[in-house]
Amino acid sequence: MKQKLTWMLTPLLVLFMTFSFAQEKTVTGVVTDQSGLPLPGVSVVVVGTTNGSQTDFDGNYAINVNQGEKLRFSYLGQKTVTMSVGASNTINVQLEEDAEALEEVVVVGYGSRSKELSTSAISTVSAEKIEAFVPSTSIDNILQGQAAGVQVTAANGRPGNTAFVQIRGVGSINAQTTPLYVIDGVPIPIDTERDFNPISNLNPSDIETFSILKDAATVSKYGSRGANGVILITTKRGKAGEAQIKFSSSYGFGEKIPDNFDVMNASQKLELERQYAALGVGAATSTPGATSSPAELARLISLDTDWQEALLKNSVIQSNNLSISGGDEKLTYFLSLGYDKNSGIIQNIDGFERISTRLNTNYQAKDWLNIGANVSVSRSTTDLPRDRNNVQNPISAMYTYNPYEPLFLTNDDGSLVTDSQGENVYNPTRQGFQVANALITEPEDTRNLLLIGNLTAGMTFSDKFSNNFSVGLISNRYNRTSRSLAGGVLNSIVGSAAFPGTQTDELEVDFEYNVNNVFTYSDTFNGVHNFSASFLLEYNENISTDLLASGRGFPSPSIPYLDVAAEATTVGSVESRRILFSQGLFMDYDYDGKYILSGSVRRDGSSRFGPDNKYGYFYSASAAWNIANESFMENSIFNTLKLRASYGTSGNQNIGDFQYLNLLDFANTYNGQTTALPVGVGNPQIQWESQAIFDVGVEFGLFNNRLNGVVDYFKKNSNELLLDRPISYTVGDENNSIFSNIGEIENSGIEVSLSGDVIRTQNFKWTLGGNITFIDNEVVELVDGEDIVTGTFGDNILRVGEEINSYYAVEYAGVNPANGEPLYYDLDGNVTNEFSDSFQQLQEGKSPIADFEGGFYTAFSYKGFGLRGDFVYKGGNYIYNFQRSSGISIGNIASSQRVEAFNYWKQPGDTDVLPSPVYQSNADQTSTRFLEKGDYLRLRTLTLDYNMPRDMIDGIGLNSLRFFVAGQNLFTITDFNGDPEVGLGSAESGEPGDTGFVPGSFNLFSYPNTRSYTFGVEVGF
Amino acid sequence: MKNNIKLLVLLFSFGFFLSCDDELNDLQPFVEGNPETFFTSVSAFQNGVDGAYRQLWNYYSDPGSGLQGIPDILSDNVTLVRTGRTSNSTYFDYRYVASTAGPIDFYWSEAYEAVNVANLVIAQIDNLADGAEKDNILGQALAIRAWAHFDLVRFYGKIPTQSADANASLGVVYIKAEDGDTEDPLAEPVRETVASNYAEIIGDLERAAQLIGEDNGEGKLDVNGVYGLLSRVYLYNGEYQKVIDAANKVDVELATAEDLEGLYTDVNEAGLVVELAINTSSESTGNNVGVLYSQTTASDVLEYAFDFDFFNSIDEDDLRLGVISYIGENSGNQYNAIAKFLGETGEVNGRVDIKVLRAEEVLLNKAEAQFELGLDALSTLNELRDLRYVAYDGGEAGQDLEDAIQFERRVELSFEGHRFFDLKRRGEPVMRSTMGDIIDGSGTPPDFPTLAADNFRFQMPIPIAEINSNQNIVQNPGY
């Protein structure tokens, strides 16, 4: 009671004192660190009030305060300092490093742990790295080159599209190798099989850190979901103190990365046609180059069209973000609002647009109860161009349409043809498809409304017992509308004249909830033995429903609703669910922070496996030794030196539902009647794919942590691999494959990451950092030792003892200099002028998987100026260059060609040439001729920024003001004939989840990667 | 008090998970059925049979690879239009290899899927009570199984009458549930001989003929359909008396010349014995088979047009000419375009039913068999010619009569997926016109106008995916 009274009186007293002694004035000063360098971002608060400020880039602060009050200066890793305000208007403070507080905290599975006590290989990517990227970039793309052991390949350049992320190599050879993403404790369901990836709907500006869990010590805690690694995303939170308002805005444009090869212009193309026709190539004899009079040729040359220019545009990239954060000692909040737009580079369609909001709050409800609630809602829309291997795809079209065929039809005199309405008429070209018009008349777009919420209740029962209960919900509403407008390009081909115009609407609602409870006991014995144990219960269920309707016969293209359709054609609805129920026990022990042991066991039950194999057990054990904490290391150059090792298992259940059952499908009709068709051969024996990872690593920090590094060696064995294994067609299975456990693969490698301050002075700082991962991989075991041919086009193979997904191709032996004939190797290694698919052989050491990859950066700062370049690189992988093959194929003479096609064999003795066109049949074949090295180095981002000094912006009421210019993908070094960053070859031919899909194995006219330039400003109030 | 609350909260937290194991174990598929338990009623079995028809329809009607047109593209009936998209040109130009996309991969996959469904029905047929309904289901399933295998063996293997070594050469794998062929999804079966395949095809069809119903409605097999198929299979197998006997059991009137236009626009079903149908309203995005030959946009995009010599060999008194051809225009050129599959009345989308087997073919099968046996084939041939010509000379005998039967067959069944197999089974070469693709014979001639009768390319390669997944399969010679 007495205490309560004191609390009630205190504000009154404060009020009274305020009235009595109010002598407000502005205090300024500089906050520096131990070595005298200015510290930006130091929180300056008037004790007992919510009045606060922060230091700017140069360590300056300014705050209104009354004499006699106290200022508290706090900063992560520094000892907090409290100063009384006296007569002076200047208070300069030098903060001291706080050895205890410096204990950087890392987010690990189901909680966090001080970095020093962690036994695990974890890479952390923090907010400042994220900010350098084009804001509309999907967050997984941002991770490229940022962390050792994380291999990121953009699926393609389509705005809003996600990336292929692999942690420590190919953990599984079934296509789903995406790691598990967990955002603030909520696992994000990703189903690449149906292109469901909510990651693209997250606002990168909301993210504080990514923690990438790579070794068994942490991923085993995620059991069956951990085999591909885990990426934990922590969003920003408010800090106690006055509200911080930040606004940032950027604007820029992008373009397709220019080709590193030349495409023929009209006169070149006509000349090649003439040459081919003269050589008797059938496909060339009717071409204009072969048949036209000189006058006609001149006319065609005058029509010279660059189809890339005709079909592409510069994209507009826009981003605006507003955030407000703050709080007091009990309640903190972070509120944000973001808007992003990237119009994409394809003419006539819009790209990607996203609006997102987030509110993160934390409330200390009772002294024993802490409640957190994070809610985010975002909506994105994407226009989808057709991604297939024909001219309906504008990217394919721009390399296929002849340069002498212009965008619009022209009359012989060169004037434009107009229709009865006076409009220009799109040229169907010899491909018979008005692709530019189709972009208008065949619109398809998707809208996603994503809601993620989580509630946590942390309870402290006593010093030793605590409990954390959390419920995470994620719900996504996906709408897709695809239309063929009446009178449009496709409608006039495949539509019905009686019912012009078609439309399909799809609504898919995904709902996943994850409930978990972690009960923890922790204790210290004799002051040096620290022990803790946590018991986890977790239930995860995913429910997805889909509704689809289509109709035909539309009165007007401007009413895109099925209500006005004359006739309904298709309807459908489906539901699917999966459940995962888990128990786990996690234990940690350390002796005085020097010797650390951790262990975990987890049992998962999954609805994806049959009754006999429903449950899987996963475990791990790890240890670490903090050498730097030993007394004999005092006064050494090492600030940090830690050795650690871990071993454990995790699992993979990334397969479709009910693969263990034979199923009958009723989705198709025959002549309007229901059909029952078997859709898959079930395999009741399938069981968990499991993975054992061994890891040893050393972490070090030298010279006052000016040089930091981590080196890890890992070996990862994936057993009982799940693969949609090809089976004989004679079985009559729908996709001619059966999900089975087919063998074992091994990935081993070394990861190194280093960063250091080369120069660190008061005004000038130069930092260098980078990482590299070397990976070796090998197929260790396959069922019955039999090879498995895989890949979208059967161009890859799994063979015991060889690299995973090695290329399986006929080996090209060059051109016979005597007659220009293409030569191949038969299986006995003899050179022959025959071509046969039976010559296909494993190409040793050539696979789509890189031998090494990584990234590095260099950053300079001088006073307020900063310059930072981030590079990514990769090497040792091969890519099947179908785009080049299509650009110089003899049979494709009636389509656009690369200039390189002129370089064919012309006379005896010609070497280093393409085959003579007279050998079309044998030349136009898939062989190693088009298998090219995919090595590259790319300047991913280059950012120049300037922070205005405090004294210049004080007068206008701002806390901070930053300008920046950023460029993405500014230059690339590669020998590959085309863009070497290949993820998705062609969405229609092979996507993740399709049988045999191997990311990065070939290019085939998917959305190109872009280069962009953005300019922006950030303001803090 | 405070501790009680804490305890309650803790119990609540744990209690949530109590029933989770049940949820996990009880989850069943939502929209799929169980093939082991689904087939218990006549209607369920009919769903299975309709599924099998659907699989056949898939490979007959495919706009890129349909069996309704590919055998014409492989033959001398058409020529590649160079201003088109040159689709299937690898096939037209005889450049295909085991890894070539399109029909080679597609038929092998889809036909065996049809076989698989048929076998699913056959294996569980005893779930139905004995009687006419059970017989009718079983009859359809057996006939479909035979039909799909027949398509496989005539495409990938030799035809018994093609050459002396044909019967002993490699056919396909004949999958029969009764023989336990369907039990192991990891089986890697071997190819059987052509003779063995034909024996099993004929066995299934003859059994089906005894079981199947009189009339199963549009798009489904019935007793006429099975005998129609038998007349064709016997002809391929050189059993000529049986051709005649089977043909005589087919009770379908020939289409008159007036009927033809309506036949190809799906207004009537004159003369149809076997068809694979599409409901163009509820299946409005279904396959449009006509795309094999042409697409109609603002202008025609022709893929294939009449072979120059073939077109000019058609008599001007032939009442079919205006039904099967029209003058197509593209890129300023005129072509003799193919009109059979342009679409239903008023449509140009190429979406029509598949005409698999018509009374006219049955009659021509019979005429050919009669000729082979030295019987009166002329009167049989004239039954058709009377309906198709304003006037004709007729009266042929010997070689002239044989030629007349084959010519009539070529014209009547043109573009419906017969020509390549007819040349193949008769051991004749493909001899295309050496004139160009344009209406007046100018333009580009075929790259390969002739395919000698003994060329290995008459037998398609087994697709590379099968070679890769089945170690016991043997590739055809030449590939």
Side-chain angles (χ1 to χ4, degrees), chain A residues 285-286 430 459 492-497 567 569 615 662 664 669-673 676 728-729 732 734 837 920-921, chain B residues 9 21 33 35 47 54 84 95 98-99 105 108 113 116 219 277 281 283-284 288 295-297 347 349 351 444 466:
Chain A
T285 48
S286 288
R430 64 164 295 285
M459 291 161 270
S492 61
I493 303 173
V494 297
S496 164
E567 190 181 78
T569 48
Y615 296 93
N662 286 325
L664 208 53
T669 58
Y670 171 66
N671 199 21
Q673 285 154 334
S728 168
Y729 280 26
E734 176 66 29
D837 286 314
Q920 179 187 345
S921 297
Chain B
V9 173
D21 260 324
N47 292 156
R54 160 94 192 183
R95 290 194 162 107
S99 59
D105 186 78
W108 188 263
E113 283 174 42
N116 184 24
S281 172
E283 291 159 355
S284 63
N288 36 359
Q295 293 190 15
T296 308
T297 53
E347 301 287 1
N349 55 21
R351 191 170 291 119
T444 309
E466 181 69 32

Side-chain angles (χ1 to χ4, degrees), chain A residues 63-82:
Chain A
I63 191 165
N64 292 327
V65 64
N66 297 309
Q67 196 169 335
E69 284 184 316
K70 286 177 176 169
L71 288 179
R72 187 197 296 136
F73 299 85
S74 57
Y75 188 73
L76 185 70
Q78 310 285 328
K79 282 186 178 154
T80 300
V81 170
T82 308

Side-chain angles (χ1 to χ4, degrees), chain A residues 190-372:
Chain A
I190 292 178
D191 187 347
T192 44
E193 201 152 331
R194 56 184 174 91
D195 264 347
F196 176 62
N197 193 339
I199 291 298
S200 64
N201 222 343
L202 297 178
N203 183 355
S205 313
D206 286 350
I207 293 169
E208 183 71 42
T209 58
F210 292 96
S211 290
I212 299 148
L213 313 185
K214 300 185 287 194
D215 72 353
T218 43
V219 298
S220 290
K221 292 184 178 179
Y222 288 89
S224 64
R225 311 182 79 178
N228 290 326
V230 181
I231 297 180
L232 302 175
I233 298 169
T234 311
T235 57
K236 291 176 179 164
R237 335 193 128 253
K239 286 181 205 144
E242 202 186 338
Q244 304 282 324
I245 302 175
K246 269 195 177 163
F247 176 73
S248 68
S249 176
S250 68
Y251 187 87
F253 68 93
E255 60 184 2
K256 174 173 157 291
I257 296 175
D259 290 329
N260 58 7
F261 54 88
D262 293 317
V263 176
M264 290 187 182
N265 62 25
S267 67
Q268 288 170 317
K269 178 66 204 313
L270 291 162
E271 169 59 17
L272 187 73
E273 290 173 357
R274 190 196 62 73
Q275 294 181 12
Y276 275 20
L279 289 166
V281 175
T285 48
S286 288
T287 54
T291 59
S292 301
S293 63
E296 175 66 4
L297 284 175
R299 186 183 77 84
L300 291 171
I301 290 169
S302 75
L303 296 174
D304 199 349
T305 302
D306 180 345
W307 276 97
Q308 296 203 27
E309 230 163 72
L311 297 177
L312 300 183
K313 62 181 179 190
N314 279 342
S315 63
V316 175
I317 303 166
Q318 246 179 297
S319 175
N320 294 298
N321 274 291
L322 175 70
S323 71
I324 305 172
S325 66
D328 58 22
E329 272 147 23
K330 279 199 154 180
L331 178 75
T332 60
Y333 63 91
F334 171 84
L335 178 74
S336 82
L337 184 64
Y339 171 78
D340 288 291
K341 183 178 165 67
N342 185 337
S343 70
I345 56 166
I346 296 177
Q347 280 285 6
N348 297 342
I349 62 171
D350 294 330
F352 176 77
E353 196 171 356
R354 174 179 63 211
I355 182 153
S356 56
T357 61
R358 165 172 293 277
L359 176 62
N360 290 352
T361 55
N362 202 286
Y363 181 55
Q364 191 71 39
K366 302 262 182 196
D367 55 359
W368 57 273
L369 179 64
N370 184 290
I371 299 170

Side-chain angles (χ1 to χ4, degrees), chain A residues 699-718:
Chain A
E699 293 171 18
F700 55 88
L702 295 168
F703 316 119
N704 258 339
N705 281 325
R706 261 178 87 158
L707 177 65
N708 286 293
V710 182
V711 179
D712 271 281
Y713 166 80
F714 66 90
K715 196 170 108 173
K716 183 162 103 168
N717 280 65
S718 305

